[in-house]
Amino acid sequence: MPPKVNEEILKALADIKLELADIKSDLCDIKSNMTKIEDAVKVNSTSIASNTANIETLASYLNDREQHNRNWSVRIFGVALPDGVATDPLSTANFVYDKIIKIVLANAVSDGALHSVPPCVDVIDYAHTLRSSREDAPPPIILRFRSRIYRHLVFKSKKAVLSTSADSELSKVRIVEDLTRLNYSKLIELRKKEIKCWSMSGRIYFIEDGVRKCMK
């Protein structure tokens, strides 16, 4: 083989070695960077997991605080308010008290749980309507009590009054807890699964394997 050809081959081989060395160096740099990226991903994943847990804890706390604030209130369905009443909180409170709450509390008096039926101003703190989800149904009413004792007595006596009332309008009334959106969604989720469930003081209870449990 001519010397010139040998020199060209050797030069080509030398160039290839240099390129391979550069590639090897680049691969080492890439591997080092990948290691740094993997370490950063692990740190970020840990941080994200920690932040997610903190957010969930905070969301749960805020939901509990919101529900605690709502535990002075009830939602009332099936009450058609006269024209002009729904726009005035005082008129709404007086109407609902006279038509429903006073009758329910009278039952509490009969049971000996209450000495006498107090006036509306001592029982109800505020009242207002919500937007109805159905065009053929009156808007729900939020009723806030001045004392949770009165609210408790209403829940205790409502079934005996509303379910047995000869008044067809009164029998259509439903009084339920004013749940947060999260707690209400938990209740609906259980009902969709046909699991016996209910709410009490803002907490969701259900029956599983014959045992009463509280949803967290």
Side-chain angles (χ1 to χ4, degrees):
M1 186 177 291
K4 185 175 180 180
V5 174
N6 287 336
E7 290 177 1
E8 290 178 352
I9 291 174
L10 292 174
K11 185 177 182 304
L13 289 173
D15 291 341
I16 290 173
K17 288 182 178 178
L18 288 174
E19 290 178 3
L20 288 174
D22 290 340
I23 292 172
K24 184 177 180 180
S25 177
D26 290 342
L27 288 174
C28 288
D29 291 340
I30 292 172
K31 185 177 180 180
S32 176
N33 290 334
M34 287 297 296
T35 300
K36 291 179 181 178
I37 291 172
E38 288 174 355
D39 291 340
V41 168
K42 290 179 181 178
V43 172
N44 290 335
S45 297
T46 302
S47 178
I48 290 171
S50 177
N51 289 336
T52 299
N54 290 335
I55 290 172
E56 290 176 351
T57 299
L58 180 59
S60 177
Y61 172 78
L62 292 176
N63 179 70
D64 289 344
R65 296 308 303 168
E66 181 184 352
Q67 186 59 65
H68 178 74
N69 187 53
R70 291 185 180 216
N71 284 348
W72 271 266
S73 304
V74 297
R75 293 194 180 206
I76 302 178
F77 296 86
V79 179
L81 298 175
D83 293 340
V85 171
T87 58
D88 178 44
L90 180 59
S91 298
T92 300
N94 284 325
F95 182 85
V96 174
Y97 177 81
D98 289 338
K99 297 295 182 181
I100 303 168
I101 303 302
K102 184 166 66 174
I103 299 173
V104 174
L105 290 180
N107 186 78
V109 173
S110 300
D111 290 342
L114 197 63
H115 292 298
S116 61
V117 178
C120 176
V121 69
D122 290 343
V123 177
I124 299 175
D125 179 50
Y126 196 77
H128 67 93
T129 58
L130 301 173
R131 181 179 298 178
S132 179
S133 59
R134 293 172 45 191
E135 294 183 358
D136 60 339
I141 300 169
I142 295 288
L143 202 66
R144 184 175 178 85
F145 292 87
R146 290 190 177 277
S147 167
R148 283 193 290 177
I149 293 297
Y150 288 132
R151 179 181 180 274
H152 171 74
L153 289 173
V154 166
F155 273 114
K156 187 176 180 180
S157 299
K158 66 169 186 168
K159 185 175 181 180
V161 175
L162 301 180
S163 62
T164 61
S165 176
D167 186 337
S168 60
E169 293 301 317
L170 195 60
S171 63
K172 297 177 183 177
V173 174
R174 289 192 303 119
I175 303 176
V176 301
E177 291 201 303
D178 183 23
L179 297 175
T180 64
R181 179 172 296 185
L182 177 60
N183 289 343
Y184 180 71
S185 66
K186 291 178 180 179
L187 192 68
I188 294 301
E189 180 182 346
L190 291 171
R191 287 177 178 172
K192 286 181 179 178
K193 296 177 181 178
E194 298 184 353
I195 296 175
K196 184 178 180 180
C197 57
W198 66 95
S199 66
M200 185 168 61
S201 298
R203 295 185 179 275
I204 309 302
Y205 294 88
F206 62 99
I207 300 295
E208 184 177 62
D209 297 329
V211 179
R212 190 183 83 159
K213 297 183 179 181
C214 180
M215 179 176 281
K216 297 181 179 180

